[in-house]
Amino acid sequence: MVTKQQIIQAEDTFLSGENFYVQHFLGAHQTKDGYVFRVWAPHAQQVWLVGDFNQWDDSLPLQKRQQSGVWEIETDIPQEGQLYKFKVKQADGRTVLKIDPFAIHFEARPGTAAVLHTVPVKKWRDGLWQGRKKRQKTLNRPLNIYEVHASSWKQHDDGTPYHFSDLKDELIPYVKEMGYTHIQFMPLMEHPLGASWGYQLTGYFALSAYFGTPEEFQDFVEACHLENIGVLVDWVPGHFCVNDDGLAYYDGTPTFEYSEEQRAKNRRWGAINFDLGKPQVQSFLISSALFWIEFFHIDGIRVDAVSNMIYRDMDEGPWEPNHEGGNRNLEGYYFMQKLNAVVKLAHPAVLMIAEESTSETKITGMIEEGALGFDYKWNMGWMNDVLRFYEMDPIFRKDHLSLLSFSFMYRMQENYILPLSHDEVVHGKKSLMNKMWGDRYKQFAQLRNLYTYMMMHPGKKLLFMGSEWGQYLEWKYDHGLEWRDLSDDLNGKMQVFTRTLNQLYKEERALWELDDQESSLAVIDADNLDETTLTFMRQGKTKKDFVLIVLNLTPVERHDFAIGVPYAGTYREILNTEHEQFGGTWIANNADQESEAVPFKQYDHQIKTILPALGALIIKPEKIKLTRKRATPNKQTI
C-alpha cells in the first residue's frame, strides 16, 4: 500500500529531477479497489480519463495536485485490457486526446491508445549471465554486435512482422550459430510510424505492440542470456514525435520541450527536442532508461544522436550561442553526464554507448575529467573513411591508403565501436556488398577483405543484419531480409566466411585482450603505396600471443610478399579470405613460413608469402624464439 508520504516524496523528487523511478508515481497503477491514474500537465485547465470503459466521454475528471501540476483520479470503472487516453483541456482552451506517457503497453497501429496491462512479476532465470557480466570487464572481452531491426529481420509469409516469440525461436539460434556476442535492436519503444525506424518515439516505457507484448520481450532477453548472448537497445532521449496526441506541447505549453521555439524544433528530423535542463524531463528520461535496464534485463543502451543533444548548432537553420558564447548545449552536456552517472551507479556492468559524430567533446571516460561517461562511442569517422576507400577504384587507392591507417593514430582517444550500421545501407547508399568496386566476384572478395580489416582493427564491432552474407539490395524497413540470397553460391559462402571470422575473433585473445592499451597494435607497414597493401599486428598479453594481418587492396596477386615479424621462427596462415570455401579460388592456404634474418623496417626478421589479389591473410606464430634484438625503428608515414 502506497502511503501519502511516499506519494509526496515521489512528487517532490520528480519536480527536482531526482526521481529515477517516476513510472511508479505517474501513469496507471492498480490499487486495492481499482486503478489510480496520474499525469503531468501543469498548465492544463482540466484533464479527464477517457476510454472504451466510458465511451470516451467526460464522466471521469481528474483532480489537480497544485504543487506539481500532476492530475490524478482513482476509480474502479476501467478494467484490465481496456483502452484509455487522457483528454486534456489545454492552456489555450483547446481540447486534445493525449496518450499516457508512462503506459507500458499500447494498442496495435494505427491505434494509439494505451492498454491497461499488468505484467506479472517475472522469475528470471539469467542469474549466471548477470553474475558473469558483473565480473567481466567488457573492454578486455570480445564484443561483436549484430544490429537488428526487429520487424524486418524476417516476416511471416503474409508480410506481418515477427513478434518476439517468433524471434526467440529463430533469431537467437541464428546469432549463436553466427558467433556474435550481442544483438542490438533499433528502437523498440512505441512509435506510430514504421518509416521512422523507431526513432520518432511516443511511448518511452512501452515495447511497441508491433513487436508483441512486454512479457514476450522479457522471455526473449532471458533466452538470449541463457545462450550467452547480450541484448542492447537503441534509445532516443534527444527528441520525440511531433504527433498531437503524444508528448508534444502536452498541456498546450512547452512541457517536455524547450520553451524557445528555435531550440524545441528539430528541423532536420521533423521532431521536437526535449528540454534536457528541465528537472521533470530528467526524471522522465532517466526513469525510462532504468526501466528498460531493470524491467527487461537489457545489457546496454545505445544513445542515439548525442551530438544533437550536446551542441546547439547541429540542426539546420539559425542557432544562438549559450551564455558563455559557445556552441555547447550545456543542458544536454550535463544531462548526459547525469544519465551515465545514475545508470553506472545502479548498474556498473550495463553498457552505455553513444552514437556521436564529432571530436570536440570527450565521450567515453571519467565524468570527473570532463568526459560524458559513456563506455563506448561509435566511430563514425572510421566508418566514413573506410567505406569511401572500398568504394574507390583500386587504381586510385595508393593515394588514399591513409583512409585505412589514419584511425590507428587516434584509436586511443576514445573507447570505440566500429560500426557498419543500418545508416549505410539505405537512402540510395547501396548495400555494403554493392558498394564494393568491380564485378560481383570482386565485390565479394573486397567485402571479405573489409570485414577482415574491421575485425582485426582495435575496437569493438557492429554489423547490420543481412550484411553478413552480402545482401545485394538495400535494406527496406517494411520488408524482410532477402533470405533467398542464400541459395546463391557466393552469398552462402560469404555467410560461411563471416561465421568463420566471428569465431576466429572470439578465439584469438590478441584481438580484444588489450583493446584499451597502446600495445595492442603495431603497424608493420603502412607505406607500401605502390603495391597498396597494409600490414599490422595485434598483440595479446603474452609475447607469443599475436597475429599478423595483411591486406591486399588491389586485384593483383603478390608473390614473395615480405612481412616483418618480431621473432625468428615458423609462422602459420590461419585465414585466407580467398579460400574456395569462402567464395575465392584458392584450394589451400599458403604453407607455413620460416622466418629469415633479413631486416624489415623496425624488425630484424621477415617471412615471405603469396598475397592473393584483393585478399587478406591472418598469420600466427607457430614456433618462435621469444628473444629479439630491436633494430632502430624506421620512421613510417601513416
Side-chain angles (χ1 to χ4, degrees), residues 220-513:
F220 175 88
V221 174
E222 179 181 72
C224 282
H225 290 171
L226 294 176
E227 296 292 349
N228 294 319
I229 298 169
V231 179
L232 313 172
V233 174
D234 282 12
W235 182 61
V236 191
H239 58 274
F240 55 89
C241 181
V242 300
N243 284 17
D244 205 29
D245 62 348
L247 302 180
Y249 298 94
Y250 199 90
D251 62 9
T253 69
T255 309
F256 291 91
E257 54 275 277
Y258 288 105
S259 58
E260 308 97 320
E261 182 180 1
Q262 180 177 300
R263 298 185 68 192
K265 190 173 183 179
N266 191 312
R267 300 170 187 82
R268 184 165 41 156
W269 296 315
I272 299 178
N273 293 323
F274 278 108
D275 182 349
L276 299 175
K278 188 176 288 185
Q280 298 93 327
V281 172
Q282 294 179 2
S283 288
F284 173 78
L285 289 173
I286 295 176
S287 294
S288 170
L290 289 176
F291 172 79
W292 282 83
I293 291 166
E294 296 175 1
F295 190 76
F296 292 114
H297 279 209
I298 64 169
D299 303 292
I301 290 175
R302 180 263 199 184
V303 179
D304 183 62
V306 170
S307 297
N308 185 66
M309 288 183 278
I310 62 175
Y311 300 110
R312 286 173 170 245
D313 58 348
M314 295 299 293
D315 196 16
E316 300 169 356
W319 63 279
E320 293 183 1
N322 59 36
H323 69 274
E324 297 175 346
N327 70 336
R328 177 168 285 178
N329 181 13
L330 298 174
E331 296 95 330
Y333 176 84
Y334 291 120
F335 170 73
M336 287 288 101
Q337 289 187 323
K338 180 176 181 177
L339 167 70
N340 285 315
V342 171
V343 170
K344 300 304 280 188
L345 180 63
H347 302 282
V350 165
L351 300 181
M352 297 298 290
I353 302 167
E355 188 264 319
E356 205 276 337
S357 57
T358 73
S359 58
E360 298 175 37
T361 298
K362 187 79 163 66
I363 303 300
T364 61
M366 296 179 63
I367 293 170
E368 294 82 357
E369 296 178 355
L372 294 185
F374 284 95
D375 294 294
Y376 294 103
K377 171 184 174 176
W378 274 24
N379 193 340
M380 311 295 282
W382 174 89
M383 179 181 69
N384 292 329
D385 286 348
V386 167
L387 293 181
R388 178 184 163 200
F389 181 88
Y390 277 92
E391 289 179 279
M392 191 180 298
D393 188 315
I395 198 170
F396 302 115
R397 288 178 179 174
K398 67 178 183 179
D399 298 321
H400 300 279
L401 191 58
S402 61
L403 288 173
L404 296 191
S405 59
F406 177 60
S407 53
F408 293 157
M409 303 294 289
Y410 66 80
R411 64 189 173 85
M412 298 300 296
Q413 292 181 6
E414 303 273 9
N415 298 325
Y416 287 114
I417 289 176
L418 309 178
L420 294 174
S421 73
H422 66 275
D423 277 324
E424 300 310 308
V425 294
V426 290
H427 298 325
K429 296 180 181 179
K430 300 186 289 190
S431 67
L432 289 184
M433 193 282 284
N434 206 19
K435 290 178 191 289
M436 302 296 107
W437 166 87
D439 59 31
R440 194 163 185 265
Y441 178 89
K442 293 184 176 69
Q443 287 179 317
F444 274 106
Q446 288 170 103
L447 195 62
R448 296 191 297 269
N449 191 302
L450 165 61
Y451 290 176
T452 302
Y453 167 70
M454 177 179 75
M455 297 300 286
M456 299 300 108
H457 192 293
K460 310 309 183 184
K461 330 294 177 185
L462 178 142
L463 186 67
F464 185 61
M465 63 182 197
S467 302
E468 70 272 19
W469 72 74
Q471 177 171 300
Y472 177 80
L473 296 178
E474 285 189 341
W475 167 60
K476 301 175 184 177
Y477 75 90
D478 54 352
H479 289 73
L481 295 178
E482 299 288 326
W483 291 94
R484 62 186 178 184
D485 284 352
L486 292 173
S487 62
D488 179 90
D489 187 58
L490 284 175
N491 289 114
K493 289 181 175 180
M494 184 70 215
Q495 186 187 48
V496 170
F497 173 77
T498 304
R499 181 170 66 241
T500 302
L501 188 62
N502 287 348
Q503 189 60 37
L504 186 148
Y505 168 69
K506 288 198 291 187
E507 292 173 352
E508 295 298 334
R509 301 177 69 89
L511 299 178
W512 39 262
E513 197 170 40

Side-chain angles (χ1 to χ4, degrees), residues 13 40 50 54 72 74 79 154 216 280 299 360 428 449 483 485 567 596 602:
T13 51
W40 180 52
V50 299
N54 68 349
E72 66 182 356
E74 187 168 354
Q79 300 296 313
K154 273 189 180 180
E216 286 179 302
Q280 298 93 327
D299 303 292
E360 298 175 37
N449 191 302
W483 291 94
D485 284 352
Y567 304 104
E596 304 174 71
Q602 69 265 43

Side-chain angles (χ1 to χ4, degrees), residues 57 66 99 126 169 181 198 237 357 380 384 391 412 452 500 506 530 536 544 558 584 611 613 627:
D57 65 18
Q66 293 299 326
I99 66 164
D126 62 349
D169 294 336
T181 66
S357 57
M380 311 295 282
N384 292 329
E391 289 179 279
M412 298 300 296
T452 302
T500 302
K506 288 198 291 187
D530 288 337
F536 58 98
K544 66 179 181 180
R558 307 293 180 184
L611 184 55
T627 57

